[in-house]
Amino acid sequence: MAISSPGIGSGLDVNGLVSQLMALEQRPFTLLATKEAKYQAQLSAYGSLKGALSSFQSAVAALATPAKFTAVKASVADSTVLTASAASTTSPGSYSIQVQTLAQAQKLKSATFDATSDTVGTGSLTIQFGTYSGGSFTLNPEKSAKTITIGSENASLAGVRDAINAADAGVSASIINDGSGYRLVIASEDAGVANALKVTVADDDLNNTDAAGLSQLVYDATTGGTTNLSQTVAAQNAAAIIDGIAISKPTNTWTDAIEGVTLNLLKEGGTTTLNVARDTAGTKAAVESFVKAFNDLNATLTNLSKYDAASKQASILTGDATVRSVQSQLRGLFNTALSSAGGGLTTLSDIGVTFQTDGTLKLDSSKLTAALNDGTKDVATLFAAVGKPTDSLVSFVSSTADTKNGNYAVNVTQLATQGKTVGQGNAALTINAGSNDALSLTVDGVAVSVTLNAGTYLTTAALAAEIQSKINGASALSSAGSSVVVTESGGKLTVTSSRYGSASTVAVTGGNAATDLFGSTVDTAGVDVAGSIGGIAASGSGQALTGAGDATGLKISITGGATGDRGTIGFARGYADLLDKLVGRMLENDGLVDGRMDGINASIKELGTRREALAARLTVIEKRYRAQFTALDTMLASMTQTSNYLQQQLANLPKAGGSSE
């Protein structure tokens, strides 16, 4: 194979010439690279803009709920007596509170045992909760009874303790060595007189009350009852006097003594003052957060689009139409006065938020404070999507993006009701195990089967409490978030679902106690609230009405009152809600920012196509250059050989006179 080396024969620098020519031909590559670098820089800038918009949207979305601006603050003069917190719906006020007693849970102790391994006995323990009064025991209908089986494997003192704790029966068990021996201590988990304990046993030694076997753990403080356990701490309610009104409750945490206020009682005999006031500090912080969020976004927009006149240096997005559109849309929203939901404020300047010449927002704290201290002003309406009903039993729940601002009349044609079943016969007060102790029901579509404690109940109310306790203790029902209330009237039982609306139902479906307890039953399903919002029929679900038309998505709750006109509800969107939605549209996949970024990416892709075409063309050009210079090289080499040959021949010709030399 011949080895080609351009230029050797002719002395021509073929490779050098081709390289220099190709360098000139490749100049379009540099231009393409410069363009791509600019596009990439714009993409990076749009990425920064997108991040800044996302951060701004997150900040304003957090301010779009009324609760952010309606917080109240509870202050206690002596926090050793009690502590307190208040919900945003709490009305301001001042209260004098004297704590008389603290609630405590009942504790019972056993007789002493020589060792924790000593055998107590076998059988079963049944633990019930209720109130001892006048020698009788009234069952707590809110607490379920629990039966715990004690077999030979857990018949020891320690085993009984462990079995009780494993049963999740609403009590705790422990063993204490008091120096004379080991005692089993059973403590109610809940304080209050209504959570005193009654412990009965089914002893395998067939004597359920003596001081031997499992009956050593019996406790029944009713008249004639057996108390083999002894009380060490009595069940006691907490008691306090609030503004001269005596109040008693089973726990030291009170959530309903003062509407919207949670009290935690800490010290008996203490007196203090509670003040509830609007939390203006929290609202100021929220407004400051709003101003900062906008100024952070504005800083990003400015840095990306500014022009330095001194250095004549433009930013990467100077003059960019998308950036100008973002700025103008934000400015346009800020400069638009709001439709009011009734808060007495329509512009940000009403609370001291104004634009400065550099495009940033500035907060006048004194003007904001004045607005917060003005009872006729509601700063929440300036930021959040708010509904303000005129009826105290009508409350705003939520809205959707489709809900339009407006003042809508509310008319209720039907109030929501609860499902129930009503017994038609007097309930039998004697329950016998295996005979008439089983009851099956469906509550809100959930099947429930319970077994009632055998015995003769003194009153129908006591029996109702037992039934309610057992039904509400069924895990299937509690898991579904449902519960019932069992009441009696004239000896007849009624089971009512706690739920409202058409999904609220109760029916007795079987069990050997059904006839003895209810006879026949009349079942009534609940109905949904019905009515209109803004003159257009609304859809009802439970106690909630959801509007249509302009009020689409406007959800209100009707918790009572009469049918007919129920006043109005004013709905309006505040700046935070509007900005959240505006920025959300900008950031959508086909929105303003992503649309521009898609365009840039398309341009970059088009540059790649052009680069590939140019590369292919340059390959052809280089090939042509090499062919041309190779031909020239060949021709020059041939001419050089010819020249050399001729010079050699001429040199060999005979000189004049006969000699060739």
Side-chain angles (χ1 to χ4, degrees):
M1 179 177 177
I3 297 176
S4 174
S5 180
I8 289 181
S10 65
L12 191 64
D13 183 7
V14 175
N15 288 332
L17 290 170
V18 171
S19 295
Q20 291 178 45
L21 289 170
M22 290 309 297
L24 294 175
E25 296 288 351
Q26 288 174 348
R27 281 185 301 181
F29 270 126
T30 303
L31 296 176
L32 292 177
T34 301
K35 281 188 176 181
E36 181 173 356
K38 183 178 180 181
Y39 286 143
Q40 293 292 357
Q42 288 177 335
L43 274 182
S44 177
Y46 273 109
S48 299
L49 173 59
K50 195 173 180 180
L53 285 170
S54 294
S55 297
F56 179 63
Q57 186 187 24
S58 297
V60 296
L63 301 174
T65 55
K68 195 75 176 179
F69 298 89
T70 57
V72 296
K73 184 177 182 181
S75 303
V76 179
D78 186 349
S79 60
T80 66
V81 177
L82 60 90
T83 60
S85 60
S88 61
T89 55
T90 307
S91 300
S94 180
Y95 307 87
S96 173
I97 303 176
Q98 178 187 8
V99 179
Q100 296 176 309
T101 60
L102 294 177
Q104 58 188 25
Q106 187 185 37
K107 292 185 178 181
L108 306 172
K109 69 177 181 180
S110 71
T112 59
F113 292 80
D114 293 334
T116 59
S117 59
D118 282 2
T119 298
V120 180
T122 58
S124 64
L125 294 167
T126 296
I127 298 174
Q128 294 173 289
F129 302 86
T131 303
Y132 289 103
S133 178
S136 64
F137 181 77
T138 302
L139 199 62
N140 182 346
E142 303 298 328
K143 303 293 286 290
S144 301
K146 190 79 174 186
T147 297
I148 305 166
T149 300
I150 306 297
S152 57
E153 71 282 2
N154 52 11
S156 67
L157 188 64
V160 171
R161 175 201 59 193
D162 295 342
I164 292 174
N165 287 333
D168 191 22
V171 299
S172 62
S174 59
I175 296 175
I176 293 178
N177 185 342
D178 64 1
S180 62
Y182 295 89
R183 297 179 185 272
L184 179 70
V185 176
I186 301 175
S188 175
E189 291 182 350
D190 294 325
V193 295
N195 292 310
L197 302 174
K198 181 179 180 180
V199 184
T200 56
V201 304
D203 199 335
D204 284 347
D205 69 6
L206 303 183
N207 189 328
N208 296 332
T209 58
D210 66 354
L214 203 60
S215 53
Q216 295 175 87
L217 305 183
V218 162
Y219 184 84
D220 179 1
T222 59
T223 300
T226 302
T227 56
N228 290 337
L229 294 174
S230 56
Q231 176 177 276
T232 59
V233 178
Q236 178 176 286
N237 279 355
I241 297 176
I242 300 178
D243 287 347
I245 302 172
I247 301 173
S248 175
K249 294 184 178 297
T251 72
N252 295 315
T253 300
W254 294 6
T255 59
D256 55 357
I258 302 172
E259 187 176 10
V261 176
T262 297
L263 301 174
N264 294 301
L265 309 186
L266 301 175
K267 185 171 73 176
E268 292 183 346
T271 300
T272 188
T273 300
L274 165 68
N275 286 308
V276 179
R278 296 178 69 178
D279 185 6
T280 57
T283 303
K284 284 182 177 178
V287 176
E288 289 168 354
S289 173
F290 174 80
V291 171
K292 181 180 183 304
F294 175 78
N295 287 343
D296 288 346
L297 172 62
N298 184 68
T300 299
L301 287 167
T302 300
N303 289 333
L304 293 175
S305 60
K306 65 183 178 183
Y307 177 77
D308 189 335
S311 63
K312 298 182 180 179
Q313 186 67 43
S315 298
I316 189 65
L317 296 182
T318 299
D320 184 273
T322 301
V323 173
R324 289 202 307 273
S325 179
V326 169
Q327 291 173 318
S328 65
Q329 288 187 54
L330 291 173
R331 283 295 191 101
L333 195 155
F334 276 109
N335 291 328
T336 301
L338 297 177
S339 297
S340 176
L345 302 166
T346 58
T347 67
L348 286 172
S349 62
D350 291 340
I351 60 169
V353 177
T354 55
F355 272 107
Q356 302 182 99
T357 55
D358 63 355
T360 60
L361 288 176
K362 180 182 179 182
L363 172 62
D364 182 342
S365 296
S366 60
K367 196 167 184 178
L368 174 59
T369 300
L372 292 172
N373 292 332
D374 186 342
T376 64
K377 303 292 190 298
D378 184 355
V379 177
T381 61
L382 210 52
F383 290 90
V386 177
K388 281 187 167 294
T390 57
D391 189 315
S392 62
L393 295 177
V394 177
S395 59
F396 168 69
V397 178
S398 62
S399 63
T400 69
D402 296 325
T403 310
K404 295 181 179 177
N405 292 345
N407 196 41
Y408 301 101
V410 178
N411 186 280
V412 176
T413 57
Q414 174 179 277
L415 291 169
T417 62
Q418 299 157 280
K420 63 183 178 182
T421 184
V422 181
Q424 301 301 296
N426 289 341
L429 297 182
T430 298
I431 301 298
N432 297 306
S435 175
N436 66 343
D437 61 346
L439 184 64
S440 296
L441 310 93
T442 58
V443 178
D444 302 342
V446 178
V448 179
S449 293
V450 299
T451 301
L452 305 177
N453 283 336
T456 298
Y457 293 83
L458 297 179
T459 64
T460 309
L463 176 62
E466 164 70 8
I467 297 171
Q468 178 177 318
S469 172
K470 288 295 176 64
I471 295 174
N472 289 338
S475 59
L477 193 63
S478 57
S479 297
S482 295
S483 62
V484 300
V485 174
V486 181
T487 57
E488 72 88 20
S489 177
K492 297 179 175 62
L493 295 170
T494 296
V495 183
T496 305
S497 168
S498 298
R499 186 173 182 173
Y500 282 86
S502 57
S504 175
T505 59
V506 180
V508 175
T509 57
N512 56 26
T515 301
D516 284 357
L517 294 177
F518 293 93
S520 60
T521 57
V522 174
D523 301 339
T524 305
V527 298
D528 296 315
V529 65
S532 63
I533 300 176
I536 300 177
S539 60
S541 177
Q543 294 180 300
L545 268 181
T546 302
D550 287 349
T552 294
L554 178 59
K555 190 174 184 179
I556 60 177
S557 178
I558 316 295
T559 55
T563 57
D565 292 337
R566 299 295 297 271
T568 61
I569 179 167
F571 173 79
R573 300 183 182 280
Y575 285 106
D577 181 79
L578 293 169
L579 286 167
D580 176 29
K581 291 174 172 54
L582 172 63
V583 176
R585 290 193 295 272
M586 292 178 178
L587 294 174
E588 288 175 348
N589 287 337
D590 56 351
L592 186 65
V593 179
D594 272 6
R596 179 66 181 122
M597 295 178 76
D598 289 344
I600 294 174
N601 279 317
S603 296
I604 292 175
K605 186 177 180 180
E606 193 270 339
L607 288 180
T609 302
R610 291 173 59 187
R611 186 182 289 107
E612 291 174 0
L614 179 60
R617 188 166 67 85
L618 289 180
T619 299
V620 173
I621 291 174
E622 182 177 4
K623 187 176 180 180
R624 186 176 73 242
Y625 281 152
R626 288 195 176 278
Q628 291 172 341
F629 280 105
T630 298
L632 178 61
D633 176 41
T634 302
M635 182 179 69
L636 289 175
S638 176
M639 292 175 67
T640 299
Q641 284 182 333
T642 302
S643 174
N644 291 339
Y645 172 77
L646 290 174
Q647 287 179 3
Q648 185 179 21
Q649 294 302 314
L650 289 173
N652 291 331
L653 289 175
K655 295 184 182 288
S659 176
S660 61
E661 296 184 359

